[in-house]
Amino acid sequence: MMLVLLANIAYAVSGCLVLIALNVARQLLFRNKSEPPVVFHWIPFLGNTISYGVDPYAFFFSCRQKYGDIFTFVLLGRKTTVYLGVQGNEFILNGKLKDVNAEEVYGPLTIPVFGSDVIYDCPNSKLMEQKKFVKFGLTQSALESHVQLIEKEVLDYLKTSPKFSGTSGEIDVSAAMAEITIFTAGRALQGGEVRKKLTAEFADLYHDLDKGFRPINFMLPWAPLPHNRKRDIAHVRMREIYTEIIKERRKNPDIESSDMIWNLMRCTYKNGQPVPDKEIAHMMITLLMAGQHSSSAISSWIMLRLASQPEIIEELYQEQVTNLGSGDGSLPPLQYRDMDRLSLMRNVIKETLRVHSSIHSLMRKVKNPLPVPGTPYIVPTSHVLLASPGVTALSEEYFPNASRWDPHRWDNQVEKEDEGEMVDYGYGTVSKGTSSPYLPFGAGRHRCIGEKFAYINLAVIVSTIVRHVKLFNTDGRKGVPATDYSSLLSGPVKPAVIGWESRFPNKL
C-alpha cells in the first residue's frame, strides 16, 4: 500500500515537473510577436499571481523596467495585459464601449454586494443614467449643507467614542476612521433615518457585506464559503432596511427633504419608468460602500502621515487660525466656502491620494482585437486590459522624489487634472482627464462621480480633527505602516496605532 502511495506521489510530481517544463519552453521558444511580451513565470495558471498580489506597484515597476510600458502577465490563468503611463491610461480608460468592457470583469464581484439591476448588472446606458441621477443629487447646495453635518459627526465621535476618552491615548487609526467615515457618509449622503440605523447591528451587516470584496470572489463569487453566506444575508437585510425607509416616505410625501433617497425617488429613466424601490435600495448600498471605503482608507493614511510629520499638523492648524479665525484664537464652525481658503489642507489630501491610491488596478475585458497605436501589438479578446494610474502618480518623471509624501510639492503647481477634451457619456459633461499623470478618481465613462464629495468629506474630517487633536507616532517609527494589498481596496496594514493628545483638554 505504501509503495502504491509513493508511486502515485512520484507520478504527480513528475507530471507537475513536465507541465512546468512545457510552460517554460513555450515562453522561451514560442512567443507571439504580435502580442505584448509575457512576464516570465514558472507555474502554469498561478503565473505571476503571487508577485502581483503581494505588491502590485513593485510588480508593475519591475516589469516596466524589463519589458517597457506594455506587457502581459498571468493572473490565475487569465492573461492580463498591462499598459502603463498616460498613453496606457488613455488607451484603456477611454476605450470605446464596443472594444472594452468593465461589467464582465467587475460584475461577478460587485453584483452580490451591490445588488441586481444597478452598476455592473445593467446595460451601460442604464448605468450612465444612474450615475446622472446620483450626480444631480450631489448639487452645490447639497455639498454646502454636508459640511455642517460632517463636522457634527466628527465632533460627536471625538466627544463620545471610548477611543478618544481622556486627554491623550493611543488609537488604531484604521478602526477609528472606518467608524467616522461610515457616520459621515451615512449622514451626509443618505439622510437622518439611515444615520439613526448605523447601530451595532448595521455595522455588523456592513462588515459582513464588505467581505464580499475579497479578491477570491473575482473567481468564485458564488462559492458556498462562510464569508459569502454572510455577505448574502447582510445584503438582504440592508436592502430591507432601505426599502422600509422608502415605503415610509411614500406614505408621507409632504415631509420631503433634499437627501439622496428623496432625489432617487423623484428620478425617472428615459423610458418613463420611475426608479424601482429595489434599485434605489441597491444604489444606496453602493453609495454607502463607495463613500465609506475610499474615505476610510485615505483618511487613515492622512492621519498616519500627519502622525509621522507632526509639524504638518501644526501648519494645518495655523492655516485655519490665520484664514478662518476671528482674531482671539477661536475658530467658528466650518463652512463650505472655507475649504477654498485652506490650500495646505487641499494639498495634504491631493498628496495622500497621489501616494496612497486605494485602487491600484483598473481592468477591462477586451471585446474586439485591439491594435496598440505606435506598436506592433494587437491585444486579443482572450485578454483583460489593466491600467494603473497610480504608477504615473508614483513616477519620478512626473513627480520628483515621488515616493516622498510632501504636501508642499503642490504649492506652486498649476491644476492640470481637469484639462483636456470634454465628453458626455450620459451623466453630464466631464473631462476625459487621461492626459494628466494624476488620476485619483479614474477617467473615462467610469470616472468616479463622487470626487467633489470625497474632497469635502476628507477636508472637513481632517480639519475638525486637527482643531482638537494632535497626533504622533508612539513607537519611534519615522514613517508609516506598509500597505495591505490583500483586499480589493488597499489601505494600511492593521492595526495601525498612533498616539493622540487633546489640543485643548476639557474644552471639546
Side-chain angles (χ1 to χ4, degrees), residues 350 410 413-420 431 433 435-438:
K350 286 171 67 74
W410 298 94
Q413 287 204 26
V414 178
E415 192 71 48
K416 294 182 179 179
E417 59 204 285
D418 288 327
E419 293 181 355
S431 168
S435 62
S436 171
Y438 178 75

Side-chain angles (χ1 to χ4, degrees), residues 249-413:
R249 289 190 175 193
R250 293 199 186 282
K251 294 177 182 178
N252 300 282
D254 296 332
I255 58 172
E256 205 171 301
S257 66
S258 58
D259 62 41
M260 188 63 72
I261 294 179
W262 277 119
N263 173 67
L264 293 174
M265 289 172 65
R266 293 191 294 264
C267 289
T268 302
Y269 288 112
K270 290 179 180 178
N271 62 8
Q273 179 194 26
V275 181
D277 290 357
K278 182 186 74 171
E279 291 183 20
I280 295 175
H282 291 170
M283 279 190 267
M284 296 306 293
I285 291 173
T286 304
L287 275 174
L288 182 63
M289 302 202 74
Q292 193 274 343
H293 254 297
S294 56
S295 293
S296 175
I298 296 301
S299 60
S300 295
W301 281 122
I302 291 174
M303 296 298 113
L304 290 165
R305 287 292 181 177
L306 294 179
S308 69
Q309 296 180 227
E311 69 277 8
I312 300 292
I313 301 178
E314 295 313 303
E315 287 187 59
L316 289 171
Y317 178 71
Q318 290 303 322
E319 179 179 62
Q320 291 194 55
V321 171
T322 300
N323 295 311
L324 309 181
S326 56
D328 60 357
S330 63
L331 290 168
L334 290 166
Q335 299 184 57
Y336 181 81
R337 65 174 178 266
D338 295 337
M339 300 302 104
D340 288 335
R341 303 169 67 187
L342 303 177
S343 59
L344 179 58
M345 173 60 64
R346 183 169 60 251
N347 291 346
V348 163
I349 295 171
K350 286 171 67 74
E351 180 70 348
T352 307
L353 286 166
R354 183 188 70 83
V355 176
H356 296 293
S357 175
S358 56
I359 300 180
H360 54 74
S361 302
L362 297 172
M363 299 182 184
R364 304 287 185 265
K365 178 71 176 69
V366 180
K367 302 299 291 181
N368 288 301
L370 290 178
V372 181
T375 77
Y377 304 140
I378 298 175
V379 184
T381 56
S382 58
H383 287 211
V384 167
L385 283 170
L386 187 155
S388 183
V391 167
T392 54
L394 294 170
S395 295
E396 294 288 329
E397 60 189 300
Y398 299 111
F399 300 96
N401 298 315
S403 61
R404 180 186 176 194
W405 184 82
D406 178 16
H408 288 294
R409 77 167 68 242
W410 298 94
D411 289 350
N412 300 311
Q413 287 204 26

Side-chain angles (χ1 to χ4, degrees), residues 110-116 182-183 185-186 190 193-195 197-213 229-247 261 277-293:
T110 61
I111 292 170
V113 176
F114 297 152
S116 60
I182 196 172
F183 293 152
Q190 313 230 341
E193 294 150 293
V194 176
R195 174 62 184 90
K197 293 181 181 294
L198 293 180
T199 59
E201 180 208 1
F202 199 96
D204 289 341
L205 292 173
Y206 183 93
H207 179 72
D208 288 343
L209 195 59
D210 189 48
K211 291 178 180 178
F213 282 136
R229 287 197 293 269
K230 290 183 177 181
R231 172 203 65 190
D232 296 340
I233 293 171
H235 173 81
V236 170
R237 179 57 188 141
M238 287 184 74
R239 182 178 64 204
E240 289 174 349
I241 290 172
Y242 283 113
T243 53
E244 288 167 4
I245 291 173
I246 295 167
K247 288 177 182 178
I261 294 179
D277 290 357
K278 182 186 74 171
E279 291 183 20
I280 295 175
H282 291 170
M283 279 190 267
M284 296 306 293
I285 291 173
T286 304
L287 275 174
L288 182 63
M289 302 202 74
Q292 193 274 343
H293 254 297

Side-chain angles (χ1 to χ4, degrees), residues 73-277:
F73 74 99
V74 176
L75 176 61
L76 293 177
R78 181 168 58 184
K79 283 192 173 182
T80 303
T81 294
V82 180
Y83 192 173
L84 302 175
V86 292
Q87 290 181 325
N89 295 337
E90 167 65 26
F91 181 75
I92 297 173
L93 302 182
N94 279 322
K96 294 180 180 179
L97 192 59
K98 67 180 180 63
D99 293 328
V100 295
N101 179 283
E103 288 83 352
E104 290 186 34
V105 175
Y106 293 110
L109 184 77
T110 61
I111 292 170
V113 176
F114 297 152
S116 60
D117 301 308
V118 300
I119 316 303
Y120 295 127
D121 190 46
C122 61
N124 189 265
S125 58
K126 183 175 181 179
L127 169 58
M128 295 301 108
E129 285 195 76
Q130 293 174 350
K131 291 184 73 169
K132 185 175 183 179
F133 297 156
V134 172
K135 185 178 179 182
F136 286 173
L138 296 172
T139 61
Q140 181 72 18
S141 60
L143 290 173
E144 291 175 1
S145 67
H146 291 340
V147 172
Q148 290 77 33
L149 299 176
I150 295 168
E151 183 182 34
K152 183 179 185 305
E153 289 294 339
V154 179
L155 285 173
D156 288 348
Y157 188 87
L158 293 176
K159 292 176 182 177
T160 62
S161 172
K163 294 181 175 64
F164 286 96
S165 176
T167 58
S168 65
E170 295 184 1
I171 56 167
D172 177 354
V173 72
S174 294
M177 300 317 297
E179 293 176 346
I180 288 175
T181 51
I182 196 172
F183 293 152
T184 59
R187 182 63 186 91
L189 290 177
Q190 313 230 341
E193 294 150 293
V194 176
R195 174 62 184 90
K196 290 177 181 177
K197 293 181 181 294
L198 293 180
T199 59
E201 180 208 1
F202 199 96
D204 289 341
L205 292 173
Y206 183 93
H207 179 72
D208 288 343
L209 195 59
D210 189 48
K211 291 178 180 178
F213 282 136
R214 291 184 178 181
I216 191 175
N217 279 13
F218 269 118
M219 301 293 294
L220 301 169
W222 305 108
L225 301 172
H227 73 267
N228 282 345
R229 287 197 293 269
K230 290 183 177 181
R231 172 203 65 190
D232 296 340
I233 293 171
H235 173 81
V236 170
R237 179 57 188 141
M238 287 184 74
R239 182 178 64 204
E240 289 174 349
I241 290 172
Y242 283 113
T243 53
E244 288 167 4
I245 291 173
I246 295 167
K247 288 177 182 178
E248 285 301 312
R249 289 190 175 193
R250 293 199 186 282
K251 294 177 182 178
N252 300 282
D254 296 332
I255 58 172
E256 205 171 301
S257 66
S258 58
D259 62 41
M260 188 63 72
I261 294 179
W262 277 119
N263 173 67
L264 293 174
M265 289 172 65
R266 293 191 294 264
C267 289
T268 302
Y269 288 112
K270 290 179 180 178
N271 62 8
Q273 179 194 26
V275 181
D277 290 357

